[in-house]
Amino acid sequence: MSNQSVTAGVALAVVMAHCGGSPVGAVKFLAGAIASAPAAPEPHAALAELWRDRRSELKEGLEGDGSLSAVLAQAYFLFLDGDMDDAVMSLGSVTGARPDVAWGTVPWFGDVRFLGAVSAEALAEACLRTLDYGHDLDTDAMRERFTPWFHAIDVVSERSPVPESLAAMARLPRACGRYALALALCDRGDAVDRVMWTAVARAGTWRAMGDLDRAAESFEDALTLDPANWSLCLDLADVRAEQGDFAAAVVLVDQGLRHEPGEVSLRAAAAAYRTRLSGSSDDLRALIVLAPELASTSYRDLLIDYACAGPGLPQGLVTKARRICES
């Protein structure tokens, strides 16, 4: 037996004693140790020993447990079993919940066995899961914590350049302010095949950078690839509105409505942009009716701000519309 195995066995014995002999309790304890020092090898070695010796008990005890510690441990167990795809998706979920911890520094995440076997599709899904909770990742501290993720993205996208997956991966570096990497992933995807999702990812990156002209060009490219996509019509209309071109915005939302006439966000945007363009009281009244149905309050408030700046609107109607923003 190697010295490493002896050390892991001793550590596990201590942990098991501390947890009253419960393997699930030991898993939770070791997961807590990993959370405190993700890069440390000792808790992982003890977990590996525990998985080898008490697998059946752990499978039963952890089944259906969605706690962070259970999902973290199961990510490592999946890696040990060679299931790299489920391992990375589990780690993505943990990272999304607690991005303030450098989970990407766990030893297995940078292992060549992992990087050589994980699929582009699974890594892309994991990247999206890191964004699930809407945390602000655009800070130096977050960029440092996500460095192992950027490395994994670079390695896997080079090995397996699936355009749709690369477009999804690009959302993580974009959220972290790593715009050059996000755009490079789009270029890498385009070198294989031009797909709508790559154009959307590029548009979102240019928009995040404040380059509205290039964002509009990319959304136009996306519409060329998928002309019946109402959501793209709305995305481009919103960019045109941000540029102050409300006539173009109206044309685009009308184009979207031809494909999806019942979509509330399109109908609300159409009412808002027509109001801003012509000062139509009827359109502002339509927006007042539709606004409470919008899922995003920030988008609702933006549309109301646009509309209330329309020419010649009755002050009472404007006041009524602005009250919605206060609700």
Side-chain angles (χ1 to χ4, degrees):
M1 184 178 291
S2 69
N3 288 337
Q4 185 176 2
S5 297
V6 171
T7 302
V10 171
L12 181 56
V14 172
V15 171
M16 290 291 285
H18 175 80
C19 298
S22 165
V24 173
V27 164
K28 300 292 182 72
F29 183 88
L30 290 167
I34 293 172
S36 299
E42 294 83 5
H44 290 88
L47 271 178
E49 192 90 1
L50 188 62
W51 186 239
R52 188 191 69 189
D53 296 342
R54 310 290 286 271
R55 177 187 298 255
S56 59
E57 294 173 72
L58 288 173
K59 281 186 175 181
E60 182 179 353
L62 294 173
E63 184 177 3
D65 188 340
S67 65
L68 185 144
S69 59
V71 176
L72 174 64
Q74 288 177 77
Y76 183 49
F77 295 154
L78 288 162
F79 165 78
L80 292 173
D81 285 348
D83 186 350
M84 306 308 182
D85 285 2
D86 284 334
V88 75
M89 288 189 286
S90 295
L91 191 68
S93 296
V94 170
T95 304
R98 288 285 310 277
D100 56 312
V101 177
W103 303 110
T105 62
V106 293
W108 65 266
F109 191 67
D111 191 291
V112 293
R113 291 170 295 169
F114 166 73
L115 293 175
V118 68
S119 71
E121 293 83 358
L123 182 58
E125 172 59 26
C127 289
L128 296 179
R129 291 186 185 189
T130 68
L131 308 176
D132 275 350
Y133 293 81
H135 295 289
D136 179 13
L137 306 183
D138 192 4
T139 67
D140 288 339
M142 285 295 182
R143 280 185 282 275
E144 178 66 26
R145 292 188 192 104
F146 276 95
T147 296
W149 283 86
F150 303 144
H151 175 66
I153 287 170
D154 189 50
V155 170
V156 175
S157 65
E158 178 70 26
R159 167 173 59 79
S160 183
V162 181
E164 293 84 356
S165 296
L166 269 60
M169 290 180 200
R171 290 182 57 184
L172 175 56
R174 182 176 79 211
C176 294
R178 288 283 307 271
Y179 302 126
L181 176 55
L183 291 171
L185 289 168
C186 294
D187 292 343
R188 190 170 288 176
D190 274 346
V192 176
D193 186 23
R194 289 185 68 244
V195 300
M196 177 269 288
W197 289 113
T198 304
V200 170
R202 184 179 283 108
T205 303
W206 286 125
R207 195 174 187 183
M209 295 171 69
D211 193 330
L212 296 181
D213 289 340
R214 285 181 171 173
E217 288 174 6
S218 296
F219 277 128
E220 286 172 348
D221 288 342
L223 264 174
T224 299
L225 293 165
D226 190 0
N229 190 315
W230 68 264
S231 183
L232 293 177
C233 295
L234 181 58
D235 287 334
L236 182 53
D238 291 341
V239 172
R240 292 305 186 198
E242 199 171 346
Q243 292 176 309
D245 189 348
F246 291 96
V250 168
V251 170
L252 285 159
V253 289
D254 284 346
Q255 180 181 337
L257 285 167
R258 287 197 293 273
H259 300 298
E260 196 64 42
E263 172 55 41
V264 67
S265 57
L266 278 172
R267 293 164 61 205
Y273 297 151
R274 288 194 189 101
T275 303
R276 176 59 178 265
L277 188 63
S278 65
S280 166
S281 296
D282 287 343
D283 283 317
L284 183 53
R285 291 189 186 94
L287 177 60
I288 289 170
V289 172
L290 291 167
E293 299 182 42
L294 293 171
S296 170
T297 56
S298 59
Y299 187 59
R300 175 200 70 187
D301 293 349
L302 176 64
L303 291 181
I304 289 172
D305 282 344
Y306 281 141
C308 288
L313 290 167
Q315 187 56 48
L317 197 57
V318 169
T319 301
K320 184 178 181 179
R322 291 206 177 278
R323 283 200 197 103
I324 299 172
C325 300
E326 300 167 4
S327 60

